[in-house]
Amino acid sequence: MFRHQYVSGDAIDLPVGKVVCVGRNYVEHVKELNNEMPTEPLLFIKPSTAVVTLEDAFSIPQNRGAVHHEVEIAILIGQKVSSISEASAWQFVRGVGIALDLTLRDVQSRLKEKGHPWEQAKAFDGACPLSRWLPVSEISNRDNIEIQLMRNGVLQQKGASQQMITAIPTLMAYISQYFTLEPGDIVLTGTPAGVGPLESGDTLVTELNNQYQVETSVI
Ligand code: ZN
């Protein structure tokens, strides 16, 4: 079972809540999937049952088509918030971490073609490997947090929050107009370009800001 924990190993006394995600938040990623450029944030939710530990080996669904990695900057919410302002958003953040927004890309494409919701492609059990958290006080570059993913020694994804279409505090303010965020909830902030398939046996190295690196394997 996933528990929130700091990188130092200290437990965080918050339940694991819902994961609110934004799609299409980096221009180069919108282009690589031939999607339309969004005019406002495109939101979806993964349930708490999707969350597993990134530091442990994790399994991916078999026989459901391509499973893509989307590495993302993750935000841990520390207080209950609703309709907050952009200017106040960071004060409600407890930690910053690394998430994989695992996506059944073939399933998603079929559902998109029919104009259906994509929950089955995004919200399945294990669809959100999530790292331990860096305390927000240790993030000195909140306006340009860096994230990257290497797969089997090859750099696949590299981005920084300055490249986001909707910046993190703006995104939190927007989300909180629609969904109350509770302590222990998580916000995923979108993926940079370079998404691609995972295979069982892969080794992944993800990194946040040169401050935290996680090596993990895919079962
Ligand atoms: Zn994503």
mmCIF file of all heavy atoms in Angstrom, residues 21-24 29 44 46 70-72 100-103 105 122 188-191, ligand 1:
data_model
loop_
_atom_site.group_PDB
_atom_site.id
_atom_site.type_symbol
_atom_site.label_atom_id
_atom_site.label_comp_id
_atom_site.label_asym_id
_atom_site.label_seq_id
_atom_site.Cartn_x
_atom_site.Cartn_y
_atom_site.Cartn_z
ATOM 1 N N CYS A 21 -5.130 15.269 -12.590
ATOM 2 C CA CYS A 21 -4.121 15.341 -13.651
ATOM 3 C C CYS A 21 -4.544 16.347 -14.709
ATOM 4 O O CYS A 21 -5.738 16.562 -14.931
ATOM 5 C CB CYS A 21 -3.975 13.999 -14.347
ATOM 6 S SG CYS A 21 -3.722 12.595 -13.242
ATOM 7 N N VAL A 22 -3.540 16.924 -15.375
ATOM 8 C CA VAL A 22 -3.817 17.791 -16.511
ATOM 9 C C VAL A 22 -3.202 17.166 -17.767
ATOM 10 O O VAL A 22 -2.074 16.672 -17.738
ATOM 11 C CB VAL A 22 -3.292 19.227 -16.281
ATOM 12 C CG1 VAL A 22 -1.791 19.253 -16.040
ATOM 13 C CG2 VAL A 22 -3.657 20.148 -17.434
ATOM 14 N N GLY A 23 -3.967 17.144 -18.832
ATOM 15 C CA GLY A 23 -3.462 16.662 -20.114
ATOM 16 C C GLY A 23 -2.971 17.840 -20.948
ATOM 17 O O GLY A 23 -3.389 18.977 -20.721
ATOM 18 N N ARG A 24 -2.046 17.579 -21.847
ATOM 19 C CA ARG A 24 -1.650 18.592 -22.853
ATOM 20 C C ARG A 24 -1.173 19.893 -22.226
ATOM 21 O O ARG A 24 -1.705 20.959 -22.523
ATOM 22 C CB ARG A 24 -2.822 18.856 -23.809
ATOM 23 C CG ARG A 24 -3.372 17.573 -24.406
ATOM 24 C CD ARG A 24 -4.545 17.802 -25.325
ATOM 25 N NE ARG A 24 -5.175 16.524 -25.631
ATOM 26 C CZ ARG A 24 -6.333 16.398 -26.257
ATOM 27 N NH1 ARG A 24 -6.998 17.466 -26.662
ATOM 28 N NH2 ARG A 24 -6.833 15.203 -26.504
ATOM 29 N N HIS A 29 4.605 18.204 -26.418
ATOM 30 C CA HIS A 29 3.866 16.937 -26.205
ATOM 31 C C HIS A 29 2.520 16.970 -26.929
ATOM 32 O O HIS A 29 2.089 15.959 -27.497
ATOM 33 C CB HIS A 29 3.667 16.675 -24.710
ATOM 34 C CG HIS A 29 2.748 15.519 -24.422
ATOM 35 N ND1 HIS A 29 3.025 14.228 -24.817
ATOM 36 C CD2 HIS A 29 1.537 15.454 -23.812
ATOM 37 C CE1 HIS A 29 2.031 13.433 -24.444
ATOM 38 N NE2 HIS A 29 1.116 14.153 -23.838
ATOM 39 N N PHE A 44 -8.365 15.393 -15.708
ATOM 40 C CA PHE A 44 -8.936 14.073 -15.447
ATOM 41 C C PHE A 44 -8.413 13.595 -14.098
ATOM 42 O O PHE A 44 -7.504 14.214 -13.526
ATOM 43 C CB PHE A 44 -8.613 13.076 -16.568
ATOM 44 C CG PHE A 44 -7.144 12.835 -16.816
ATOM 45 C CD1 PHE A 44 -6.483 11.772 -16.232
ATOM 46 C CD2 PHE A 44 -6.417 13.683 -17.647
ATOM 47 C CE1 PHE A 44 -5.130 11.557 -16.463
ATOM 48 C CE2 PHE A 44 -5.058 13.472 -17.885
ATOM 49 C CZ PHE A 44 -4.416 12.404 -17.296
ATOM 50 N N LYS A 46 -7.245 10.286 -11.474
ATOM 51 C CA LYS A 46 -6.951 8.886 -11.161
ATOM 52 C C LYS A 46 -7.348 8.671 -9.703
ATOM 53 O O LYS A 46 -7.059 9.519 -8.854
ATOM 54 C CB LYS A 46 -5.442 8.608 -11.306
ATOM 55 C CG LYS A 46 -4.892 8.695 -12.734
ATOM 56 C CD LYS A 46 -3.377 8.512 -12.716
ATOM 57 C CE LYS A 46 -2.729 8.788 -14.043
ATOM 58 N NZ LYS A 46 -2.492 7.587 -14.861
ATOM 59 N N GLU A 70 4.598 8.614 -19.005
ATOM 60 C CA GLU A 70 4.523 10.077 -19.032
ATOM 61 C C GLU A 70 5.103 10.532 -17.702
ATOM 62 O O GLU A 70 4.456 10.388 -16.665
ATOM 63 C CB GLU A 70 3.073 10.568 -19.159
ATOM 64 C CG GLU A 70 2.383 10.158 -20.451
ATOM 65 C CD GLU A 70 1.035 10.865 -20.649
ATOM 66 O OE1 GLU A 70 0.578 11.609 -19.757
ATOM 67 O OE2 GLU A 70 0.433 10.659 -21.733
ATOM 68 N N VAL A 71 6.329 11.045 -17.711
ATOM 69 C CA VAL A 71 6.922 11.498 -16.449
ATOM 70 C C VAL A 71 6.397 12.899 -16.126
ATOM 71 O O VAL A 71 6.255 13.728 -17.036
ATOM 72 C CB VAL A 71 8.470 11.459 -16.499
ATOM 73 C CG1 VAL A 71 9.054 12.576 -17.355
ATOM 74 C CG2 VAL A 71 9.058 11.526 -15.092
ATOM 75 N N GLU A 72 6.051 13.144 -14.865
ATOM 76 C CA GLU A 72 5.417 14.423 -14.518
ATOM 77 C C GLU A 72 5.880 14.908 -13.147
ATOM 78 O O GLU A 72 6.159 14.104 -12.252
ATOM 79 C CB GLU A 72 3.885 14.261 -14.518
ATOM 80 C CG GLU A 72 3.395 13.576 -15.794
ATOM 81 C CD GLU A 72 1.946 13.841 -16.166
ATOM 82 O OE1 GLU A 72 1.259 14.591 -15.439
ATOM 83 O OE2 GLU A 72 1.518 13.270 -17.198
ATOM 84 N N LEU A 100 4.673 8.912 -12.584
ATOM 85 C CA LEU A 100 4.466 8.413 -13.948
ATOM 86 C C LEU A 100 2.958 8.318 -14.152
ATOM 87 O O LEU A 100 2.268 7.638 -13.395
ATOM 88 C CB LEU A 100 5.103 7.031 -14.140
ATOM 89 C CG LEU A 100 6.624 6.961 -14.036
ATOM 90 C CD1 LEU A 100 7.087 5.525 -14.240
ATOM 91 C CD2 LEU A 100 7.287 7.880 -15.056
ATOM 92 N N ASP A 101 2.482 9.046 -15.156
ATOM 93 C CA ASP A 101 1.073 8.958 -15.550
ATOM 94 C C ASP A 101 1.007 7.860 -16.602
ATOM 95 O O ASP A 101 1.075 8.129 -17.799
ATOM 96 C CB ASP A 101 0.626 10.328 -16.086
ATOM 97 C CG ASP A 101 -0.713 10.276 -16.795
ATOM 98 O OD1 ASP A 101 -1.430 9.273 -16.632
ATOM 99 O OD2 ASP A 101 -1.022 11.242 -17.529
ATOM 100 N N LEU A 102 0.925 6.593 -16.135
ATOM 101 C CA LEU A 102 0.915 5.474 -17.098
ATOM 102 C C LEU A 102 -0.382 5.499 -17.895
ATOM 103 O O LEU A 102 -1.470 5.710 -17.346
ATOM 104 C CB LEU A 102 1.065 4.137 -16.369
ATOM 105 C CG LEU A 102 2.385 3.915 -15.630
ATOM 106 C CD1 LEU A 102 2.423 2.496 -15.055
ATOM 107 C CD2 LEU A 102 3.587 4.161 -16.523
ATOM 108 N N THR A 103 -0.247 5.273 -19.184
ATOM 109 C CA THR A 103 -1.367 5.444 -20.108
ATOM 110 C C THR A 103 -1.457 4.263 -21.057
ATOM 111 O O THR A 103 -0.467 3.935 -21.734
ATOM 112 C CB THR A 103 -1.159 6.743 -20.931
ATOM 113 O OG1 THR A 103 -0.986 7.838 -20.036
ATOM 114 C CG2 THR A 103 -2.333 6.999 -21.859
ATOM 115 N N ARG A 105 -2.127 3.537 -24.226
ATOM 116 C CA ARG A 105 -2.291 4.458 -25.365
ATOM 117 C C ARG A 105 -3.245 3.915 -26.426
ATOM 118 O O ARG A 105 -4.020 4.681 -27.016
ATOM 119 C CB ARG A 105 -0.916 4.761 -25.981
ATOM 120 C CG ARG A 105 -0.933 5.923 -26.954
ATOM 121 C CD ARG A 105 -1.181 7.268 -26.266
ATOM 122 N NE ARG A 105 -0.031 7.710 -25.512
ATOM 123 C CZ ARG A 105 -0.080 8.654 -24.556
ATOM 124 N NH1 ARG A 105 -1.228 9.249 -24.249
ATOM 125 N NH2 ARG A 105 1.007 8.997 -23.909
ATOM 126 N N LYS A 122 -6.396 5.449 -18.152
ATOM 127 C CA LYS A 122 -5.614 6.310 -17.251
ATOM 128 C C LYS A 122 -5.775 5.984 -15.768
ATOM 129 O O LYS A 122 -4.956 6.409 -14.968
ATOM 130 C CB LYS A 122 -6.092 7.767 -17.438
ATOM 131 C CG LYS A 122 -5.692 8.409 -18.764
ATOM 132 C CD LYS A 122 -4.241 8.839 -18.726
ATOM 133 C CE LYS A 122 -3.908 9.841 -19.827
ATOM 134 N NZ LYS A 122 -2.479 10.246 -19.762
ATOM 135 N N LEU A 188 -0.949 16.111 -10.707
ATOM 136 C CA LEU A 188 0.060 15.852 -11.741
ATOM 137 C C LEU A 188 -0.032 16.966 -12.772
ATOM 138 O O LEU A 188 -1.132 17.322 -13.194
ATOM 139 C CB LEU A 188 -0.144 14.505 -12.431
ATOM 140 C CG LEU A 188 -0.109 13.225 -11.603
ATOM 141 C CD1 LEU A 188 0.096 12.016 -12.517
ATOM 142 C CD2 LEU A 188 0.971 13.259 -10.553
ATOM 143 N N THR A 189 1.123 17.481 -13.172
ATOM 144 C CA THR A 189 1.157 18.767 -13.873
ATOM 145 C C THR A 189 1.410 18.678 -15.372
ATOM 146 O O THR A 189 1.697 19.686 -16.007
ATOM 147 C CB THR A 189 2.222 19.654 -13.201
ATOM 148 O OG1 THR A 189 3.477 18.958 -13.251
ATOM 149 C CG2 THR A 189 1.865 19.939 -11.746
ATOM 150 N N GLY A 190 1.283 17.473 -15.929
ATOM 151 C CA GLY A 190 1.440 17.317 -17.378
ATOM 152 C C GLY A 190 2.807 16.765 -17.733
ATOM 153 O O GLY A 190 3.746 16.828 -16.929
ATOM 154 N N THR A 191 2.897 16.220 -18.920
ATOM 155 C CA THR A 191 4.144 15.549 -19.329
ATOM 156 C C THR A 191 4.825 16.284 -20.477
ATOM 157 O O THR A 191 4.150 16.757 -21.398
ATOM 158 C CB THR A 191 3.875 14.074 -19.720
ATOM 159 O OG1 THR A 191 5.121 13.362 -19.738
ATOM 160 C CG2 THR A 191 3.212 13.918 -21.079
HETATM 161 ZN ZN ZN B 1 -0.098 12.929 -18.260
#
